[in-house]
Amino acid sequence: MFVGGPSISELQKIVRKLRRHVITMTAIAGSGHPGGSLSAADIITALYFTVLRHDPKNPDWQDRDRFVLSKGHAAPILYAALAECDYFPVEELLTLRKLDSRLQGHPDRTLTPGVEMSSGALGQGLSFGIGIALAGKLDSRDYRVYVFLGDGECDEGQVWEAAMAAAHFKVDNLVAIVDRNQQQLDGYCYDIMNLEPLAAKWRAFGWEVLEIDGHDFQQILKAFEKAQEVKGKPTVIIAHTIKGKGVSFMENNIEFHGKAPTPEEAEKALKELE
Amino acid sequence: MVTEVSTREAYGKVLVELGKTNPNIVVLDADLSHSTMTRLFAETFPERFFNCGLAEQNMIGISAGLAASGKTVFASTFAVFASCRCFDQLRMCLSQPKLNVKIVATHGGITVGEDGFSHHSIEDLALFCSLPGFTVVVPADAIETKEAVKIAAGTYGPFYIRLSRPRTPLVYDENYTFTLGKAVTMRPGKDATIIAIGIMVAKALQAAQALAAEGIDCCVINMPTLKPLDEEAIIKAASETGAIIVAEEHLKHGGLGSRVARVVAREKPVPMAFLGIKDAYAKSGKPEELLQRHGLTVKDIRQAVKSLIPKKVFR
Ligand SMILES: Cc1ncc(C[n+]2csc(CCOP(=O)(O)OP(=O)(O)O)c2C)c(N)n1
């Protein structure tokens, strides 16, 4: 059990706030990726407010758990979580994608406190996560590494190079999460590039596989707990989610993969998220 | 008798030396440790060596993660794979985040030989020099390799060090000290300057010696650090000798020639000649045969100097 964190109903309140940030930020920026940010919202909330051992006042703390957003286009939800954790002021969220902002269109490790890695070219985060996990083992540090992937991202060959290597190196301090919202950029994954049987693939690569409803905090927290007990191999959590989750007209609407809501749409969305 | 020593062997040995004093060093390879010679480190420090298998892109990502956790990382494979296969990974994971990873690649250029174009590396210097924040070093011999690797280990940031497959002549003795970002005048001269890197340095020296016998006094500069470039040395050479010949085992575009020409054009325009590979891939063959085919012999350098000198502008 994760002790001392917020209750489930508090997490639900927090995630609503983060979803509202995503809407506001992208609407004001006039661009960005709301769909994949909203599908990731609950898991990222659970991580930052319950699971991760971290200290926003000390982002370089050597023993912190690491979160790597491999699907970098979901930057808005990451920034929202970091801001609400006090890595930087919440007002700064409104600078998203603006010239000289610390909040770039995709994560930038050199600019934003709390961002572990630059990303945006899909398929690379898991490899980076393995490196951190190996360093943790070498230095006998007990931090854990969480890498967040999209399902479309799993089309990338490098993801599977990394999957093979993580099992080979037995990095049981590494957890991958696949945001299985069934959609990628051009449409549904099963039309663009079928991934199934996805769980069987990860299992065949030597991973412990957990499948959950990625919008159910109870299931999310339980999966992270379970992952901590897995020894000798990495764990992947395949989180079944809905792209655009939380806003009726964005849910499963591929249009909002990479399009910001208009001011009117944003207003409507914010009302739904009150 | 010229002593020939392989730069990759020098690399393998110095890694072990560094590993002994610096427990922070980790080494990665992609199933080529017997060729890149990282196996020497692997045998001595197995717990600090990670063979990533045939997955170079993944190796770059893992290197970045280790570096972001405080390790000094050496990652090795062949030059062609390090550059062409991994370019996006280099850009995303090392260059932009400025991580402390040293890509030391062997089998640079066409002296890889018989394996043919798939294994020749003729674009790597252009690619690595194009990456913001990367330091690019091409040692001229095994001694410079050893020194450059030591300096790289102690200098923060992403590095590319390009080594060769065959044994190559020594141009330095053990007293040599390598200074990052500094050109080395190998011999003075007033009629023209040959600026060379890697295996072409030894050839440039031979060419200069032969030219001296014909009464042509050639300055030879070794430019081991291709990026950042020692612009001062180039300007000085252009001013003092009025003609510059560059020689590199790489495409004529994007490498030493392009970089030197940019400085010369901006600061001190003088006639130049470019020895390198034309816009095409090489074929299988013995290293010396290929160098001959692509105009990278001592004779070619001599010829280039002699044809360039009459173009000098005398004031
Ligand atoms: C290497 C690379 N190719 C293409 C893109 C453009 N792109 C951005 S998001 C995306 C689809 C991603 O789908 P998925 O991983 O499922 O993310 P989600 O649907 O959860 O937003 C694509 C193709 C990219 N960012 N990186």
Side-chain angles (χ1 to χ4, degrees):
Chain A
M1 269 300 281
F2 297 103
V3 282
S7 66
I8 300 279
S9 68
E10 282 167 326
L11 284 172
Q12 279 159 348
K13 255 173 78 180
I14 297 169
V15 76
R16 263 201 306 281
K17 197 193 296 182
L18 298 195
R19 283 198 162 95
R20 285 203 299 274
H21 284 322
V22 168
I23 298 298
T24 312
M25 292 163 80
T26 52
I28 287 182
S31 65
H33 298 78
S37 296
L38 295 173
S39 62
D42 301 280
I43 292 162
I44 287 181
T45 301
L47 280 165
Y48 274 92
F49 292 86
T50 301
V51 179
L52 293 182
R53 179 173 75 195
H54 66 133
D55 176 6
K57 293 285 153 267
N58 188 6
D60 295 328
W61 179 34
Q62 291 202 335
D63 286 315
R64 72 192 183 281
D65 289 338
R66 269 74 161 177
F67 176 76
V68 177
L69 184 65
S70 190
K71 52 167 257 190
H73 57 280
I77 187 65
L78 173 62
Y79 297 155
L82 291 172
E84 285 296 340
C85 286
D86 258 353
Y87 278 91
F88 50 82
V90 173
E91 304 79 66
E92 203 170 328
L93 291 176
L94 302 182
T95 68
L96 174 72
R97 290 177 167 249
K98 296 238 176 353
L99 192 61
D100 294 332
S101 169
R102 290 196 290 181
L103 308 183
Q104 296 287 294
H106 291 80
D108 183 339
R109 164 187 165 85
T110 68
L111 281 183
T112 320
V115 168
E116 295 287 351
M117 189 49 178
S118 303
S119 59
L122 292 164
Q124 304 194 22
L126 193 54
S127 307
F128 182 76
I130 294 171
I132 312 175
L134 286 173
K137 297 261 179 204
L138 278 175
D139 296 343
S140 308
R141 295 186 189 276
D142 67 349
Y143 62 70
R144 297 177 62 76
V145 187
Y146 298 89
V147 180
F148 197 92
L149 303 150
D151 49 3
E153 183 177 14
C154 294
D155 294 355
E156 288 284 355
Q158 192 185 341
V159 170
W160 300 100
E161 291 184 4
M164 199 176 341
H168 177 78
F169 292 130
K170 301 187 173 61
V171 276
D172 49 17
N173 48 351
L174 176 70
V175 178
I177 303 114
V178 178
D179 187 0
R180 186 74 173 115
N181 57 28
Q182 302 280 353
Q183 291 191 336
Q184 47 197 101
L185 193 150
D186 273 345
Y188 282 95
C189 298
Y190 50 73
D191 288 327
I192 308 302
M193 184 49 66
N194 184 31
L195 282 171
E196 292 298 342
L198 186 59
K201 283 192 177 78
W202 285 98
R203 220 169 271 126
F205 273 75
W207 288 59
E208 180 73 20
V209 181
L210 305 173
E211 285 201 73
I212 60 163
D213 173 346
H215 300 308
D216 178 328
F217 279 114
Q218 239 134 12
Q219 290 192 35
I220 296 170
L221 294 179
K222 213 161 125 218
F224 283 125
E225 263 167 33
K226 254 194 178 155
Q228 293 193 346
E229 284 148 27
V230 176
K231 294 289 165 241
K233 58 177 168 180
T235 298
V236 60
I237 299 172
I238 299 177
H240 295 277
T241 58
I242 295 169
K243 208 157 167 173
K245 172 75 178 177
V247 179
S248 59
F249 59 92
M250 288 185 164
E251 288 193 2
N252 284 323
N253 182 352
I254 197 78
E255 215 190 297
F256 285 101
H257 165 79
K259 183 184 98 68
T262 63
E264 300 75 49
E265 285 167 343
E267 201 181 325
K268 233 169 99 187
L270 289 173
K271 221 165 253 151
E272 289 188 23
L273 289 167
E274 256 165 28
Chain B
M1 236 323 267
V2 201
T3 327
E4 297 207 333
V5 186
S6 103
T7 50
R8 55 194 168 108
E9 204 170 305
Y11 168 53
K13 285 185 184 153
V14 74
L15 267 188
V16 174
E17 212 181 291
L18 286 166
K20 284 182 186 150
T21 52
N22 186 346
N24 211 34
I25 287 180
V26 297
V27 178
L28 289 78
D29 204 299
D31 198 27
L32 284 171
S33 69
H34 285 251
S35 300
T36 63
M37 302 306 280
T38 59
R39 76 175 169 80
L40 299 178
F41 187 94
E43 284 158 9
T44 322
F45 307 104
E47 70 292 345
R48 283 192 272 149
F49 177 79
F50 302 100
N51 199 326
C52 297
L54 265 160
E56 297 79 10
Q57 302 169 12
N58 187 40
M59 175 171 76
I60 303 299
I62 296 177
S63 301
L66 284 158
S69 313
K71 301 291 168 196
T72 298
V73 184
F74 282 85
S76 290
T77 176
F78 288 172
V80 66
F81 307 135
S83 55
C84 297
R85 173 67 62 110
C86 299
F87 196 67
D88 187 31
Q89 285 73 17
L90 295 168
R91 174 178 187 276
M92 286 300 302
C93 294
L94 304 186
S95 170
Q96 194 275 346
K98 304 182 178 74
L99 287 170
N100 197 23
V101 176
K102 320 300 171 190
I103 308 289
V104 183
T106 64
H107 295 59
I110 55 176
T111 48
V112 176
E114 293 84 343
D115 276 344
F117 101 92
S118 60
H119 284 58
H120 296 162
S121 187
I122 59 173
E123 310 94 335
D124 57 329
L125 300 179
L127 288 169
F128 275 100
C129 283
S130 74
L131 290 167
F134 250 90
T135 299
V136 177
V137 178
V138 187
D141 72 359
I143 288 168
E144 191 164 58
T145 298
K146 187 176 79 177
E147 296 307 308
V149 169
K150 282 195 222 162
I151 295 291
T155 311
Y156 188 89
F159 270 65
Y160 176 60
I161 302 181
R162 184 219 232 195
L163 308 178
S164 305
R165 182 185 75 88
R167 292 168 180 276
T168 48
L170 291 183
V171 297
Y172 291 111
D173 62 29
E174 290 291 346
N175 299 319
Y176 172 66
T177 39
F178 169 81
T179 311
L180 194 63
K182 283 278 167 250
V184 187
T185 302
M186 307 297 289
R187 64 175 278 157
K190 57 180 181 4
D191 296 332
T193 303
I194 309 168
I195 304 182
I197 47 168
I199 62 159
M200 297 311 291
V201 175
K203 295 185 193 300
L205 284 168
Q206 282 180 52
Q209 211 164 30
L211 287 162
E214 300 176 54
I216 299 171
D217 184 19
C218 243
C219 167
V220 175
I221 289 180
N222 173 24
M223 191 66 77
T225 311
L226 195 49
K227 189 184 175 192
L229 201 58
D230 186 346
E231 299 200 352
E232 231 171 88
I234 296 168
I235 298 164
K236 186 163 172 274
S239 309
E240 291 178 359
T241 67
I244 290 182
I245 297 92
V246 290
E248 61 191 314
E249 191 193 358
H250 184 269
L251 286 173
K252 285 189 187 192
H253 52 260
L256 177 71
S258 300
R259 296 180 63 73
V260 170
R262 201 163 61 221
V263 179
V264 170
R266 191 187 68 218
E267 302 288 342
K268 185 71 197 167
V270 296
M272 287 188 68
F274 301 88
L275 297 181
I277 297 156
K278 290 194 198 77
D279 198 27
Y281 290 102
K283 301 232 164 30
S284 289
K286 292 199 177 67
E288 282 306 325
E289 290 171 340
L290 294 180
L291 291 173
Q292 204 163 6
R293 180 68 60 85
H294 292 275
L296 292 172
T297 63
V298 173
K299 199 173 129 209
D300 294 304
I301 300 174
R302 271 172 64 188
Q303 213 70 57
V305 172
K306 287 210 261 186
S307 346
L308 190 64
I309 287 178
K311 296 185 187 153
K312 277 173 65 166
V313 183
F314 294 96
R315 270 184 276 251

